[in-house]
Each structure stands twice: as structure tokens, then as C-alpha cells.
Amino acid sequence: MDFSSILTNKHTTLMPFRWYHPRAMNLRKFDRQAYVELPDFDLRLQNYELERHSYTAFLKGKPWSCFGVQEIWPGVGEGWLITDEMVVDLPVTLTRSAMRYFNLVAIEKKLHRIQLTVNTKDLLAVRWAHALKFEQEGVMRKYGPDQTDYLMMSRNY
């Protein structure tokens, strides 16, 4: 299946995700924190790289969004996203592309559920997950590495 069809911006290209792509980005605050709070974050990113459908979106040659879905067991995947500060200028591109991506990856991997964990303090991410039709299932108290609360959100297919 051709995942380049998810793109909605003619200046955006898609490449397979590489663990070092986020290092070339001006990361949003919540994504920068991962490097501080998780000393093994690069190793985690290397695991994401092994997933067949993990990608980096580039705008005019600069990476601005890294994303994927890891299957945690048959039929269930967990989505992840790392974004550059420029994402606030590309809300339509990000939302339309993400909606197409989740639909395609659900078909490709035969998923009946995709879930996200979202930091409750990251209001932009919470609003975005709702825009993508993810439903809030509950609050995961002190879930984050810094003991912040997270939302468990899901979308069923």
C-alpha cells in the first residue's frame, strides 16, 4: 500500500522514519521533554524505526513530523507522534494526513483499535486527538515519566 497518498500539501514529502530525524527538528516543548526525562529515548526511537509504517514528513526538505503505529498485539496498535514547532502552522495538513494514515494503517495491519496516550497538559495534542475522532477513555494518573497525568484515547475500526 502506498502511504504517500496520505499527503495533502504539495510541499510535503514522506520518508521512512529514522531515529535521528527528530534531532534535526525544532521540537515542541512536550517532545523535547522526552529527551530529558528518558535517557534511553534514542533507543526507543530506534525501535520505532523498525516498524514498517513509521514515517517522517518533510516540508521543503525539513522534517516537521515523525509518526507511526506500533502493534502491541494482534488487532491493537498504539500511535506515536513527534512534532516540530512549525506544526502549529500546518494544522490542516497534519490533521488530514493523520486521518488518512490511521485509516490506511488500520487496514494494512488489520487493526480494530488504535490508541494514543496524551499528556493532559498538552492541550494542542488533546484537541488534535479529538479532531481525529479519538475518544477519551480515562485518565492515567501519574503515568508520565515526570508523573504527569495522561489521557488514554482510542479509535475503533
Side-chain angles (χ1 to χ4, degrees):
M1 194 170 284
D2 179 20
F3 276 77
S4 64
S5 66
I6 69 170
L7 299 175
T8 60
N9 182 316
K10 65 182 180 179
H11 301 291
T12 302
T13 56
L14 204 60
M15 289 182 50
F17 172 72
R18 296 296 176 251
W19 70 271
Y20 49 83
H21 286 161
R23 291 190 174 270
M25 296 164 64
N26 181 20
L27 297 175
R28 288 182 59 242
K29 171 188 169 188
F30 292 96
D31 294 317
R32 275 194 317 269
Q33 285 178 300
Y35 281 100
V36 173
E37 296 164 1
L38 302 167
D40 66 342
F41 192 59
D42 283 338
L43 292 174
R44 293 169 190 260
L45 294 176
Q46 288 169 21
N47 284 329
Y48 288 164
E49 184 176 322
L50 300 175
E51 277 292 324
R52 187 167 140 219
H53 297 302
S54 295
Y55 297 100
T56 302
F58 289 80
L59 180 66
K60 298 179 182 177
K62 181 176 178 359
W64 65 276
S65 175
C66 303
F67 57 93
V69 171
Q70 285 195 303
E71 192 169 358
I72 53 178
W73 49 72
V76 178
E78 185 157 278
W80 60 272
L81 174 69
I82 301 170
T83 53
D84 187 281
E85 288 283 355
M86 77 171 86
V87 77
V88 298
D89 298 326
L90 299 161
V92 174
T93 297
L94 180 64
T95 303
R96 287 182 181 166
S97 298
M99 189 69 84
R100 290 181 178 126
Y101 171 77
F102 285 129
N103 291 338
L104 281 175
V105 82
I107 292 166
E108 180 79 14
K109 292 180 173 252
K110 297 178 175 67
L111 300 176
H112 58 264
R113 171 189 171 94
I114 296 178
Q115 64 187 37
L116 308 171
T117 56
V118 182
N119 187 321
T120 58
K121 294 179 180 179
D122 189 349
L123 300 180
L124 179 65
V126 172
R127 284 194 317 269
W128 184 69
H130 283 294
L132 292 173
K133 309 296 185 217
F134 280 81
E135 295 179 18
Q136 182 176 325
E137 294 183 330
V139 178
M140 301 163 62
R141 305 264 179 239
K142 294 188 175 189
Y143 178 78
D146 61 348
Q147 298 187 25
T148 54
D149 295 345
Y150 274 65
L151 300 176
M152 173 57 75
M153 303 182 78
S154 72
R155 187 168 157 201
N156 295 315
Y157 294 85

